[in-house]
Amino acid sequence: MLCSQEQEDAYLFGWNPTPGIVSVWANRQGEAVVWRREGERVHCSHERFWPWVLATSLTDLTAVGGRLCRVAVLPPPLSEASPGLIYYRELDGPEGTYRFLLFCADQSRLERMLLRGAARRLGRRLASLAELEDYYAVGPVEQYLMQTGQVYFRDLAYEHLHRLQLDLETTALDPHRGRIFLAAVRDSRGLATTLEAPREEDEPRLIRDLCDLICQRDPDVIENHNLFGFDLPFLEERARVLGVPLMLGRQGAPEAARRLRRYQETLAIGPEARRRLRYSVAGRELVDTLDAVRRHDFVVRDMPSYALKDVARYFGIASAERTYIAGMDIVETYRRDPERVRRYALDDVEEVDGLSRRLLGAPFALASMAPRRYERLVSAGPAMGVLEPILVRSYLRAGAALPRPSEQEAGSDGLYEGGAVHLFATGVAEHVVKADVASLYPSLMRTFAIGPRCDRLGVLLSILGRLTDLRLQHKEAARQAPPGSIEANHHAATQAAMKILINAAYGYMGAGKMALFADAQAAAEVTRRGRAILDQVVEALRRRGLALIEADTDGVYFAVPPEWSEEQERALVTEIGAGLPSGIRLEYEGRYRAMFSHEVKNYALLTYDGRLIVHGVALRSSRAEPFGERFLRRALLATMLGRVHEVRTAYLETVEALRARALPAADVATQVRLTKTPETYFASRQSHQEPAYEALIKAGRRQWFPGERVRFYRTAEKQYVWLPDENTEEVPAGQEWLALAPTSAEGETPLTTMERVRQSSKELAERRDYDVEYYIRLLTSSYAARLRKAFAPEDFEALFREDRQLSLFAETKPLEQIQPRWIRCQLPRSD
DNA sequence: GCCAACCGGGG
DNA sequence: GTGTACGGTTGGC
């Protein structure tokens, strides 16, 4: 089907030009409240819309005596419509598709009728429409946006949003065991302050002041890191206990909707559906930067941690003067030096703002395309959560029936072949190049016009094409605009949002029975062509005599001759790329000084500026004893540089350090997370002992919590010693540290239990009575073993033999003659 | 050694 | 008000 560009853009961006929407609230009775920003002012308007549900037939409705009235497009305005009637529109489409668009002034009433009819038809009880494939419904806000063609943020820049960051400091992680003593608040209009409750009785006041402050500042968005996982649940529980209402919503919404509301989000259907708490409040978007971080890492896959401080450093937005306090020290620091905790908490909200600027531009741009709330688009899955609502809106706009997922799709979940994975060589390579095909799957879809068969209007391919073109334009515009300008940010964020959608297109087709437009055959065709492209690249490299290392889906690692320059490497990639079908682009992704290939997707890379990058489980230590970690990095580096004697030295020095007990116990300790309650463990202790629990018991502890981390080491007497550290959360019997009342200025403050624990912990960490033989065995069997594939078997034995003297009896070659197993090119002779 | 189950983050 | 993460780690057999 041919589409005009105008129509394509209506598919992609909606068609209603209403500018500046910053929040929408709606209910199942067709009432919507829309807040629009015009500069510093926010206008609130009350709208009506027709709640709707899609159906494959009218039989359930007629069976329960529903009075139906057919309409051409929309029913008459709600105020003039007959209240008892169900209106419907017939959409274009074959039998079995969602051909009937049902409207009712009260969606709950409509759903009750449909459920009654369906229950009668099927002869079983039904709790919700979701159990039936005969109906398709979306939330009220989505209904409103899809019906009106409106989207958030039209003609608005991210910088115009009024964002507020909120961070709570509490005396414990669990609201049943601790309380809020400080809240840091800042916003994008210059606010930066703290609210404090040093004494327990001040907490209700703090919560009330916090609500007042938020309502007075009136932000569009409330942000924090782990907002849904920590701050809001904590705040909710404390407010509940103290009887303080959490009125955080915006003027204009019904009173009940202005209260903070909790709801469960079901993450996956399966034997055990995982649930997660979410919160919502009318008129403000609640945004968790942790969600944005997860999504970012989903693409880049190189973030070592999602913790706020780590992420801030990762993005280079952590200030040099930033105050750091270990989690469990915050309460006591506040007692002694409250100013320091204020700085710390304000640094937190500052970093959250920085993260927001860095990461939330893309969801912001998505919200100006997809018919969903901004807060949902921050964490929505790109396929079902973003792309599908766009497709649904397009079909409804075109008056076309939506396809119903076929039975075929139900059985095809992940059954087709995916990308190709090859391991060509193990060992150590130098002068390594990585080349990959840019956006392989979307390029294949576009080049070979592979879309879902059920997409009768061809919307998916149409918007994929439009997105690809627009993305290039925005990328270019971002380059042209002054760096850091609002304009540059806008184009950069828009291209990032478009990239998310482009990459979702393939995954969406393979999404299985839950996706309306799924087509496993089309998805299989995409991966088949993908494998063919990868094979073609691999063969081209092989023919030229380059040393293949590994290939995965859309990229390949190989080694080039040592004398090659980067220009030659790039020229080779360009040359091979020229042989690929037009529309498929091979890119030069990077070059590495060396690579240690261990297994598929398990390798180490050494960059030309000396950074060591380790990929995959097999090369990482799961136990993470610090001495072993240090050895492994040192040995990997030396191996990749071909400095075999340094590998040997690293090994011998580590063995020697263990023997001489030069390392403190903390260096050999491992950390484990407990899963069993004391009851469970004591029940099975006779038959099976576990070191982590034994360590706690030996230290006199009989109480612990599943989830607690325990650091311990093993002594020569085969005993396990607990090393409490800053991650240990122990609640002292009297909970005396919950009382934050300032202590008298003069005189010594008595040590709290936690201080005693930590003080003795420092002494323990310095002890040297560990099991030397055990840790030497561990060094060899767990850490050195990861280098096995870098050397010939006899060389490996020689390198990691503890005592060189013993080897005098065996015939060994001198260390100087040992080399890693090199992976090298065999260039065809040019004669 | 292999597989299923669990976790991520927050004070 | 609904959405299909995923890759690393741990614990049990």
Side-chain angles (χ1 to χ4, degrees):
Chain A
M1 166 162 301
L2 283 177
C3 287
S4 69
Q5 197 166 92
E6 196 181 334
Q7 190 177 11
E8 281 182 337
D9 285 352
Y11 284 163
L12 203 44
F13 301 105
W15 52 89
N16 186 315
T18 305
I21 295 179
V22 288
S23 196
V24 178
W25 173 88
N27 66 13
R28 291 149 75 85
Q29 283 71 50
E31 297 167 323
V33 185
V34 178
W35 289 269
R36 289 192 307 110
R37 176 165 289 285
E38 263 175 43
E40 290 305 300
R41 311 253 320 258
V42 173
H43 301 273
C44 172
S45 65
H46 294 251
E47 313 284 339
R48 298 305 306 265
F49 69 100
W50 273 99
W52 56 264
V53 171
L54 281 162
T56 52
S57 87
L58 300 174
T59 51
D60 289 336
L61 268 184
T62 48
V64 294
R67 288 161 53 225
L68 291 160
C69 175
R70 186 174 163 178
V71 296
V73 180
L74 272 178
L78 263 154
S79 50
E80 298 161 28
S82 312
L85 280 183
I86 308 277
Y87 294 89
Y88 73 96
R89 175 182 176 186
E90 244 184 279
L91 303 168
D92 295 333
E95 176 88 27
T97 57
Y98 294 104
R99 292 154 64 204
F100 301 98
L101 181 55
L102 310 175
F103 299 98
C104 181
D106 180 355
Q107 194 188 343
S108 306
R109 206 174 86 90
L110 173 61
E111 285 186 9
R112 278 196 302 275
M113 291 174 75
L114 296 174
L115 284 174
R116 208 152 19 102
R120 197 177 299 172
R121 170 167 54 91
L122 299 166
R124 62 183 166 99
R125 299 174 70 88
L126 294 165
S128 112
L129 278 193
E131 298 173 41
L132 295 167
E133 288 187 1
D134 309 283
Y135 301 100
Y136 181 86
V138 299
V141 175
E142 282 85 356
Q143 290 178 35
Y144 172 77
L145 293 173
M146 286 183 191
Q147 191 172 101
T148 60
Q150 295 180 86
V151 287
Y152 272 52
F153 308 145
R154 199 125 30 225
D155 306 330
L156 208 61
Y158 178 76
E159 288 76 2
H160 299 140
L161 273 186
H162 184 170
R163 295 178 297 110
L164 179 143
Q165 295 81 30
L166 154 71
D167 187 48
L168 303 181
E169 303 303 327
T170 64
T171 57
L173 286 173
D174 182 343
H176 304 285
R177 301 204 329 245
R179 62 177 187 87
I180 304 168
F181 68 90
L182 186 147
V185 184
R186 85 176 281 292
D187 75 2
S188 52
R189 301 286 198 269
L191 174 76
T193 189
T194 59
L195 306 173
E196 299 177 37
R199 294 166 310 166
E200 196 160 348
E201 57 267 35
D202 300 327
E203 194 187 7
R205 174 86 265 149
L206 184 154
I207 296 176
R208 261 183 227 108
D209 288 349
L210 178 63
C211 292
D212 290 348
L213 180 62
I214 289 172
C215 289
Q216 178 229 320
R217 299 299 293 185
D218 198 30
D220 306 321
V221 183
I222 297 174
E223 306 172 324
N224 195 24
H225 203 65
N226 206 12
L227 182 70
F228 295 132
F230 180 72
D231 300 83
L232 292 183
F234 204 110
L235 180 63
E236 183 193 33
E237 175 61 17
R238 295 310 298 163
R240 189 188 66 79
V241 168
L242 301 169
V244 182
L246 288 176
M247 298 300 274
L248 295 171
R250 222 163 195 166
Q251 289 287 344
E255 185 79 359
R258 292 184 57 204
R259 253 178 203 256
L260 185 72
R261 285 227 333 256
R262 167 169 63 170
Y263 64 94
Q264 296 241 303
E265 175 180 53
T266 313
L267 280 181
I269 298 290
E272 226 174 321
R274 297 261 293 220
R275 310 204 128 199
R276 183 201 163 181
L277 280 188
R278 280 196 72 108
Y279 290 80
S280 117
V281 71
R284 305 192 207 286
E285 306 292 308
L286 303 179
V287 167
D288 193 334
T289 49
L290 179 58
D291 286 325
V293 167
R294 287 199 182 106
R295 173 181 281 173
H296 178 82
D297 191 48
F298 184 66
V299 182
V300 301
R301 286 181 199 288
D302 71 339
M303 300 190 63
S305 146
Y306 294 171
L308 176 65
K309 283 82 177 166
D310 298 334
V311 173
R313 279 191 292 252
Y314 172 91
F315 284 118
I317 53 184
S319 112
E321 289 84 50
R322 207 247 196 259
T323 302
Y324 291 101
I325 307 175
M328 77 171 311
D329 295 335
I330 291 173
V331 176
E332 297 202 2
T333 310
Y334 184 67
R335 221 158 47 115
R336 282 195 293 265
D337 184 1
E339 189 50 37
R340 190 167 145 73
V341 175
R342 283 176 207 129
R343 281 199 309 271
Y344 166 80
L346 287 169
D347 283 344
D348 268 8
V349 285
E350 184 87 29
E351 283 186 350
V352 168
D353 172 62
L355 264 191
S356 172
R357 290 169 194 270
R358 179 71 177 71
L359 291 179
L360 287 155
F364 179 90
L366 279 179
S368 66
M369 297 184 230
R372 301 195 73 189
R373 288 190 69 165
Y374 168 57
E375 67 175 22
R376 303 285 335 175
L377 288 165
V378 174
S379 60
M384 295 293 285
V386 190
L387 201 50
E388 183 161 284
I390 292 178
L391 297 173
V392 169
R393 178 182 61 192
S394 303
Y395 267 64
L396 292 180
R397 175 65 168 169
L402 286 154
R404 185 167 126 170
S406 67
E407 294 306 315
Q408 258 170 278
E409 296 302 327
S412 66
D413 280 11
L415 284 185
Y416 59 87
E417 234 179 306
V421 181
H422 303 287
L423 180 65
F424 300 108
T426 58
V428 182
E430 294 176 302
H431 310 283
V432 172
V433 173
K434 167 91 192 285
D436 65 6
V437 181
S439 311
L440 176 64
Y441 288 170
S443 302
L444 290 167
M445 287 177 68
R446 217 184 160 198
T447 304
F448 299 103
I450 309 167
R453 225 179 6 189
C454 56
D455 180 9
R456 308 187 308 283
L457 306 183
V459 175
L460 186 64
L461 283 181
S462 153
I463 62 178
L464 179 62
R466 189 80 184 111
L467 280 167
T468 310
D469 295 340
L470 286 174
R471 177 173 175 233
L472 289 178
Q473 291 173 24
H474 283 288
K475 252 181 124 163
E476 184 53 30
R479 233 195 323 263
Q480 304 269 337
S485 64
I486 288 183
E487 203 192 340
N489 290 347
H490 162 73
H491 290 299
T494 306
Q495 81 80 20
M498 291 180 164
K499 183 177 177 181
I500 290 171
L501 283 175
I502 289 167
N503 289 332
Y506 155 75
Y508 180 71
M509 294 202 302
K513 64 177 185 300
M514 295 308 290
L516 291 177
F517 294 90
D519 184 342
Q521 271 186 14
E525 171 70 3
V526 172
T527 56
R528 190 188 64 76
R529 289 202 182 263
R531 292 190 297 274
I533 298 282
L534 189 68
D535 283 349
Q536 195 181 330
V537 173
V538 164
E539 276 317 305
L541 289 165
R542 200 196 300 279
R543 264 201 313 278
R544 287 167 175 80
L546 296 149
L548 290 161
I549 303 168
E550 76 160 61
D552 179 6
T553 311
D554 58 356
V556 54
Y557 284 99
F558 58 95
V560 302
E563 66 276 9
W564 277 31
S565 65
E566 182 174 340
E567 285 65 40
Q568 281 173 287
E569 294 168 4
R570 286 181 180 277
L572 172 79
V573 171
T574 306
E575 182 187 314
I576 292 175
L580 298 176
S582 65
I584 307 295
R585 220 172 60 249
L586 187 68
E587 288 185 334
Y588 179 88
E589 207 200 65
R591 61 198 308 253
Y592 302 92
R593 178 165 177 173
M595 175 170 180
F596 166 46
S597 168
H598 178 74
E599 287 168 28
V600 186
K601 296 184 199 179
N602 282 276
Y603 52 82
L605 295 165
L606 180 61
T607 65
Y608 281 94
D609 56 13
R611 277 178 306 120
L612 178 67
I613 302 164
V614 181
H615 261 273
V617 237
L619 289 178
R620 288 179 190 276
S621 154
S622 60
R623 307 181 49 97
E625 289 92 354
F627 82 100
E629 290 271 85
R630 280 199 305 268
F631 161 76
L632 184 59
R633 283 190 72 84
R634 215 177 137 190
L636 271 173
L637 205 61
T639 303
M640 282 196 277
L641 291 168
R643 299 177 187 160
V644 175
H645 58 281
E646 284 182 23
V647 178
R648 175 76 183 155
T649 308
Y651 179 74
L652 288 179
E653 281 179 7
T654 308
V655 169
E656 181 49 33
L658 286 168
R659 279 223 187 290
R661 301 187 189 278
L663 302 172
D667 267 358
V668 300
T670 186
Q671 209 173 68
V672 158
R673 194 182 279 276
L674 303 183
T675 56
K676 295 178 174 168
T677 61
E679 295 71 45
T680 317
Y681 184 67
F682 283 115
S684 64
R685 191 182 177 204
Q686 300 305 328
S687 57
H688 182 63
Q689 299 203 338
E690 294 175 49
Y693 300 93
E694 292 305 315
L696 286 184
I697 292 166
K698 183 164 179 290
R701 281 189 59 185
R702 292 290 179 276
Q703 281 301 317
W704 60 78
F705 305 98
E708 184 176 336
R709 287 193 190 97
V710 176
R711 198 161 58 115
F712 64 92
Y713 69 94
R714 173 167 147 154
T715 67
E717 291 75 40
K718 315 271 179 286
Q719 302 248 296
Y720 295 95
V721 179
W722 178 40
L723 298 181
D725 68 0
E726 62 279 0
N727 288 324
T728 309
E729 179 184 321
E730 197 208 17
V731 181
Q735 302 209 345
E736 65 268 37
W737 48 292
L738 287 188
L740 279 170
T743 44
S744 53
E746 77 284 88
E748 291 280 304
T749 315
L751 286 182
T752 66
T753 308
M754 285 322 294
E755 282 171 329
R756 282 196 301 276
V757 166
R758 261 175 300 146
Q759 207 165 72
S760 63
S761 162
K762 274 176 195 144
E763 291 156 18
L764 283 172
E766 280 300 318
R767 283 169 55 166
R768 316 277 157 139
D769 58 342
Y770 44 81
D771 185 344
V772 167
E773 292 307 321
Y774 169 77
Y775 286 107
I776 291 175
R777 277 202 308 280
L778 195 69
L779 175 71
T780 315
S781 66
S782 176
Y783 290 95
R786 289 157 217 265
L787 291 165
R788 192 171 286 279
K789 296 204 176 135
F791 299 97
E794 64 277 16
D795 292 344
F796 180 85
E797 296 304 325
L799 271 173
F800 301 114
R801 211 190 315 262
E802 201 194 314
D803 191 350
R804 190 91 178 133
Q805 294 302 314
L806 290 175
S807 66
L808 289 177
F809 301 100
E811 41 181 319
T812 49
K813 55 180 158 187
L815 215 51
E816 300 72 53
Q817 284 179 25
I818 297 181
Q819 284 286 304
R821 291 172 52 216
W822 294 113
I823 302 169
R824 286 193 167 132
C825 302
Q826 290 162 329
L827 290 194
R829 294 185 185 286
S830 52
D831 51 20

